Amino acid sequence: MLISWNWMTDFVDLAGIDPEKAAARLTLAGLEVAGMTRLCPPGLEKVISARITGLVPHPEADKLSLCTVSDGENELQIVCGASNMKAGDTVALAPVGTRLPNGMTIKKARIRGVASTGMLCSAAELGLEEESAGIMILPDSLPLGEPVIELLKLQDTILEFEITPNRGDCLSVIGVARELAAIYQRPLRLPEARPGSGEKPVADLAAIEIADPDLCPRYVGRVVEEIVLGESPLWLKTRLRAAGVRAISNVVDITNYVMLETGQPLHAFDLDLLAERRIVVRRAGKDTLFTTLDGVERKIDPETLMICDGREPVAIAGIMGGLNSEINDKTRNVLIESAFFTPASIRRSSQLLNLSTEASYRFERGVDPQATARAAARAAELLETLAAGRVAAGVLDICPDPAVCERSPIAFRPVQANRLLGLELDEAAIRDIFTRLQIALVEDEPGAWQVLPPPWRFDLEREVDLVEEVARLYGYDRVPVTELKISAAAVLDEPETVNLRRLRQVLINYGYFEAVNYSFIDPAAVRLLGFPPASRYFDFVQLKNPISSEMAVMRTTLLPGLLGNLENNLRVNVKDVRLFEIGRGFFRAADRKQPYEELFLAGVACGKRAREHFSGADEKLDFFDLKGLLEELADSLRLEFKYDPEGYYGCLTPGQAAAVVFKDEVVGSVGRLHHQVAENLDLDQEVLVFEIALEPLLSAAKAQTVSYQGLARYPAIYRDLAFLVGTEVAAGAMLDFIRRQHKLIVNVEVFDVFQGESLPAGKKSLAFRLTFQDRNKTLTDKKVNAIIAKLIKGIEAQFGGEVR
């Protein structure tokens, strides 16, 4: 946002204040000044005011004029190609030797045989406008021979601000001037607008109705008749240019000028184009198409607040007017709109329409609801002065519930302010700061105040906000630096936090990177994963105002986000990918308003098992890599998983997938993504995924106690056993069976799985390595053999296996 230093002097005395030092003070007070520039382009110091005393056609050129020009002391002869001047006009003269902003140096010249000693300049040639139709005509009241930059107050400093979203009150000249007045303890001047009052009452010329006061608590209208549409005066165009706004016409320029000055966006309607000369503020009510001032036809949401006439919408409230009521060359009567719209409503509509304007930018942050009438009066006054308008008597000020526009008092304790800031300010100093900020003291009980923030300060809601105001005005740089003192006992992390950290560390050790995705997903992404339509994964929490159709529901699984991350990596030729995410799924609840939330851990992986190296085999990740990872994760929590070859996610490949079971409860799935699902997701590699519910695991890990035992003093005995079993027999089931057979079996592992033509049809070979150990004595072969004999009989009976 650009603010003119000279413009601010209309409202606060800045004499003796250096703009650079003021910028530093404003930045320290929370209004960051990002840059400073001069308004006046270099080279204008020699351009002076002069008067045309004579004007005759050039004797040798039809389109040129021969001007006699006086600067108050000398008369000069100048050849000019413009046609918009006449004898008696005051103009901007560039004498010989002047170097203009465009690089041109003025020299004596002969043009078609006639001497020319200078140049009459246009605003564009002086760098004050982008283009001009003729030379710049100055007010006749200006003295002659004086530098134009001084006469027109072009020696200005422009401050560029980066205003934080909570300080919408500073998005104006008056807003920043108010801050300077508070910082430098100087009075703020706000001249009262006094437009004329015609004979016709405004109520006979227009009517206003607010149908949705929850979105528009106040709407003010002023009517100005018989305006003359034309060009704005140079002073107004100069100020608009200083703010980075292009001049259009006097009526439009005035609405922009008042918005920049007061922070209150305005809109001017052609009153004769409003059906029934009536304004109705209401929701759109249904999907409709509306063409805005920029000529774009836009689809309007039913909840969007619209400004309508007696027949149809004429503007999108707080954002942009409509093409059907814009100011045009035939406009003679205008209705000025000055309203207060609720910030959330304007923000929602702006986002839905993907349309942001200077007006919506201010309304979203909040405008002063008590300044609407003042801004409308200021615009009416300028229309009367600069557009020869006649202001109707009275004002249409519709405010169904005035209490909505009032602020509520805030409790404040001076002692608490000093405690938080580490200061020792007395109450008089704090009262002075509040007075400078126009924060009213409504109750002054000892040690406990009730203060009323000004209506333009939407950011002041709590006591700590007021404490911050004390610090801002006192000066952050004056707050003493003190050493931090912590007397509280050491705080230990919650068990859940510790266990989540362990899980993350295991995944990182295995080469996985953590992803963080939005909790919003496309419901179509869940359908692609093959979940049964009646499953809980379709119990979506719908968003009322989604960012897009691809983020319309809260996620019930983490896999869509991770698979999207994977697809993005593969698209840029990153082929070896390992990602995980810890996040919440959200499920619609029938018995309560809030959804159920569950914590999940999910991962995706594809590519090589290890980095490519000449000494190793080029092997791809497979199901067992992820199964081993899950076992390591369970081990980090001192838990144990089992795996069921049935009951896994429908998006996985049969034979290369399993349900993850914990304490007889299915808590997740692991396996290879089905090739059809991968194809639908544009994934051209074999992809492995897993997802597990964390809450049962974290609860079990929290309840565990850790015990330790010493190293065994007696040696272990190792035996290998291979069994021929049916292909349908799960190795995990046999492992569980063997572990339960005797307490001296301290470990058992599968070290070989074989299927081939050398084995009978429907059979496979499973080889196990068993570890036997007794902590109290040395085991004998006799003891171990007895256990193995019993074990073999059990395998034969339970699984139909035979020893190979």
Side-chain angles (χ1 to χ4, degrees):
M1 184 187 67
L2 304 177
I3 295 291
S4 159
W5 183 264
N6 286 348
W7 197 345
M8 287 193 291
T9 61
D10 290 356
F11 307 104
V12 62
D13 181 11
L14 298 177
I17 299 176
D18 178 63
E20 288 192 11
K21 292 181 179 179
R25 292 284 298 273
L26 286 166
T27 299
L28 277 174
L31 272 66
E32 182 182 356
V33 179
M36 298 174 62
T37 57
R38 290 180 58 198
L39 173 65
C40 181
L44 298 189
E45 293 81 3
K46 294 184 178 180
V47 179
I48 59 175
S49 57
R51 181 164 292 127
I52 300 175
T53 58
L55 180 66
V56 296
H58 193 291
E60 301 294 334
D62 295 339
K63 295 185 178 181
L64 297 178
S65 300
L66 188 60
C67 302
T68 303
V69 179
S70 171
D71 63 5
E73 295 182 359
N74 305 304
E75 284 201 343
L76 305 172
Q77 180 175 273
I78 297 174
V79 177
C80 183
S83 59
N84 66 317
M85 67 287 187
K86 64 183 184 298
D89 282 346
T90 303
V91 294
L93 168 64
V96 172
T98 302
R99 183 177 177 84
L100 297 178
N102 60 11
M104 177 190 298
T105 299
I106 306 302
K107 300 178 181 178
K108 290 183 179 180
R110 295 190 68 81
I111 303 175
R112 295 290 183 94
V114 177
S116 181
T117 54
M119 177 178 174
L120 303 185
C121 301
S122 69
E125 289 163 334
L126 296 179
L128 302 180
E129 293 182 6
E130 292 183 6
E131 56 183 32
S132 301
I135 65 170
M136 185 168 63
I137 307 300
L138 302 176
D140 293 336
S141 59
L142 296 181
L144 303 182
E146 298 295 325
V148 169
I149 59 174
E150 294 181 6
L151 296 174
L152 299 181
K153 298 183 178 180
L154 297 178
Q155 290 178 314
D156 196 1
T157 299
I158 308 302
L159 280 66
E160 182 180 357
F161 287 89
E162 292 186 357
I163 303 296
T164 53
N166 65 315
R167 293 304 305 272
D169 61 297
C170 290
L171 292 172
S172 65
V173 174
I174 289 177
V176 178
R178 187 186 289 121
E179 286 290 305
L180 284 171
I183 290 171
Y184 286 97
Q185 303 185 50
R186 299 192 177 188
L188 182 72
R189 304 185 299 265
L190 292 179
E192 184 179 354
R194 298 181 181 275
S197 181
E199 297 179 358
K200 296 180 182 179
V202 67
D204 293 346
L205 300 173
I208 296 173
E209 175 190 347
I210 300 178
D212 288 302
D214 57 321
L215 302 185
C216 177
R218 188 179 187 186
Y219 193 103
V220 173
R222 298 292 295 251
V223 172
V224 183
E225 298 183 290
E226 302 301 327
I227 65 161
V228 178
L229 202 69
E231 188 177 353
S232 297
L234 181 61
W235 68 266
L236 193 148
K237 291 194 288 185
T238 299
R239 286 193 166 178
L240 291 179
R241 175 175 171 268
V245 177
R246 181 174 62 89
I248 298 174
S249 68
N250 52 0
V251 175
V252 177
D253 292 349
I254 285 168
T255 59
N256 286 333
Y257 180 86
V258 175
M259 178 187 70
L260 295 169
E261 182 176 81
T262 66
Q264 170 67 53
L266 303 178
H267 187 70
F269 295 101
D270 186 322
L271 184 59
D272 298 318
L273 295 179
L274 298 179
E276 304 176 14
R277 289 196 161 205
R278 187 161 166 258
I279 287 291
V280 180
V281 187
R282 61 171 175 81
R283 289 176 168 88
K286 61 180 180 179
D287 287 330
T288 184
L289 296 177
F290 180 72
T291 303
T292 46
L293 282 172
D294 53 4
V296 177
E297 188 177 64
R298 305 178 187 275
K299 185 177 180 181
I300 305 300
D301 177 79
E303 291 297 311
T304 296
L305 190 67
M306 303 295 291
I307 308 300
C308 306
D309 61 11
R311 182 177 59 249
E312 61 183 355
V314 292
I316 304 173
I319 299 177
M320 186 177 284
L323 204 60
N324 56 355
S325 62
E326 73 169 329
I327 302 300
N328 57 70
D329 295 340
K330 297 180 181 179
T331 298
R332 292 295 173 265
N333 305 307
V334 299
L335 172 69
I336 303 169
E337 168 196 277
S338 179
F340 171 60
F341 303 112
T342 55
S345 167
I346 303 304
R347 175 68 175 170
R348 176 186 179 277
S349 300
S350 178
Q351 289 291 313
L352 282 177
L353 294 167
N354 193 25
L355 178 62
S356 180
T357 62
E358 288 290 334
S360 68
Y361 187 79
R362 286 165 171 79
F363 279 126
E364 288 172 17
R365 287 153 177 78
V367 299
D368 181 359
Q370 297 183 19
T372 50
R374 186 167 63 247
R378 174 67 165 146
E381 179 183 54
L382 290 172
L383 284 171
E384 183 181 36
T385 305
L386 305 180
R390 188 170 64 249
V391 182
V395 57
L396 296 171
D397 190 348
I398 312 300
C399 186
D401 184 5
V404 175
C405 299
E406 300 289 339
R407 296 299 304 273
S408 300
I410 301 172
F412 177 82
R413 295 163 294 171
V415 172
Q416 176 71 351
N418 280 321
R419 188 184 70 81
L420 290 175
L421 299 176
L423 299 175
E424 295 181 359
L425 298 177
D426 57 35
E427 292 189 357
I430 296 177
R431 283 195 192 91
D432 175 64
I433 289 173
F434 283 174
T435 300
R436 288 151 57 189
L437 292 169
Q438 300 182 53
I439 297 173
L441 197 61
V442 293
E443 287 186 22
D444 187 0
E445 296 294 331
W449 300 352
Q450 291 287 322
V451 301
L452 189 65
W456 56 84
R457 290 300 301 273
F458 283 84
D459 58 316
L460 301 184
E461 298 178 341
R462 303 169 299 165
E463 182 182 40
V464 289
D465 299 328
L466 298 170
V467 173
E468 182 182 6
E469 292 303 292
V470 172
R472 283 197 322 112
L473 266 290
Y474 178 76
Y476 290 121
D477 55 328
R478 296 173 62 193
V479 176
V481 177
T482 57
E483 292 183 4
L484 183 63
K485 296 180 180 178
I486 300 178
S487 57
V491 178
L492 300 178
D493 288 334
E494 290 291 327
E496 179 175 312
T497 303
V498 174
N499 288 325
L500 286 175
R501 189 182 302 132
R502 285 175 180 163
L503 294 175
R504 284 188 169 92
Q505 191 58 54
V506 170
L507 287 155
I508 291 168
N509 292 345
Y510 270 70
Y512 282 72
F513 289 87
E514 184 170 8
V516 179
N517 288 297
Y518 285 115
S519 296
F520 315 132
I521 61 170
D522 185 347
V526 179
R527 297 187 188 97
L528 286 175
L529 294 178
F531 291 109
S535 71
R536 65 197 299 260
Y537 294 97
F538 289 94
D539 291 342
F540 295 127
V541 178
Q542 302 281 344
L543 298 183
K544 289 185 177 179
N545 183 24
I547 298 172
S548 71
S549 60
E550 295 180 351
M551 306 180 80
V553 300
M554 303 289 283
R555 64 188 179 187
T556 53
T557 169
L558 308 186
L559 291 181
L562 287 171
L563 290 170
N565 302 145
L566 178 63
E567 195 270 332
N568 291 336
N569 278 274
L570 295 177
R571 193 187 317 122
V572 294
N573 207 35
V574 178
K575 301 297 185 182
D576 301 323
V577 181
R578 301 184 189 187
L579 296 171
F580 78 92
E581 181 173 9
I582 295 175
R584 295 193 177 276
F586 303 84
F587 301 88
R588 185 180 65 249
D591 56 343
R592 65 181 193 181
K593 185 176 181 180
Q594 296 298 325
Y596 290 107
E597 298 183 27
E598 294 185 21
L599 190 64
F600 290 95
L601 165 62
V604 296
C606 68
K608 298 183 178 67
R609 178 171 292 143
R611 289 185 180 181
E612 190 172 354
H613 193 268
F614 65 86
S615 64
D618 190 13
E619 297 176 337
K620 299 284 188 182
L621 288 166
D622 60 23
F623 167 80
F624 294 101
D625 290 293
L626 260 64
K627 181 173 176 288
L629 171 62
L630 291 182
E631 290 173 350
E632 186 68 25
L633 290 170
D635 189 61
S636 71
L637 301 181
R638 300 180 184 87
L639 305 176
E640 186 176 351
F641 289 151
K642 295 181 181 179
Y643 301 91
D644 189 338
E646 297 179 354
Y648 49 80
Y649 287 174
C651 59
L652 303 180
T653 304
Q656 299 185 54
V660 182
V661 179
F662 175 68
K663 290 186 176 180
D664 299 325
E665 177 186 354
V666 175
V667 295
S669 292
V670 59
R672 176 186 166 193
L673 197 66
H674 196 281
H675 68 88
Q676 188 60 57
V677 176
E679 184 178 326
N680 293 338
L681 295 172
D682 295 326
L683 302 174
D684 57 1
Q685 283 192 229
E686 291 186 4
V687 177
L688 298 155
V689 304
F690 70 87
E691 184 171 55
I692 54 176
L694 284 181
E695 288 171 0
L697 312 182
L698 295 174
S699 297
K702 180 179 179 181
Q704 279 196 341
T705 57
V706 180
S707 60
Y708 298 90
Q709 60 183 12
L711 295 174
R713 297 174 56 192
Y714 301 97
I717 294 178
Y718 304 92
R719 294 290 175 88
D720 293 342
L721 291 175
F723 295 93
L724 196 64
V725 295
T727 54
E728 75 283 357
V729 175
M734 292 183 67
L735 279 170
D736 290 339
F737 179 81
I738 295 172
R739 289 183 181 126
R740 294 196 304 267
Q741 294 310 298
H742 203 282
K743 64 180 181 179
L744 295 180
I745 302 176
V746 295
N747 191 39
V748 57
E749 297 175 352
V750 178
F751 70 88
D752 184 56
V753 179
F754 176 71
Q755 286 181 260
E757 297 179 357
S758 60
L759 297 180
K763 295 291 186 177
K764 65 180 177 182
S765 173
L766 295 176
F768 301 89
R769 176 159 293 147
L770 285 68
T771 303
F772 299 84
Q773 191 169 44
D774 190 329
R775 302 185 64 85
N776 299 315
K777 60 184 177 180
T778 302
L779 275 178
T780 63
D781 287 340
K782 181 179 178 181
K783 180 67 173 177
V784 171
N785 291 339
I787 297 172
I788 290 176
K790 183 181 177 181
L791 173 62
I792 293 172
K793 289 180 180 180
I795 294 291
E796 292 172 348
Q798 185 78 15
F799 301 99
E802 57 181 289
V803 178
R804 294 190 66 192

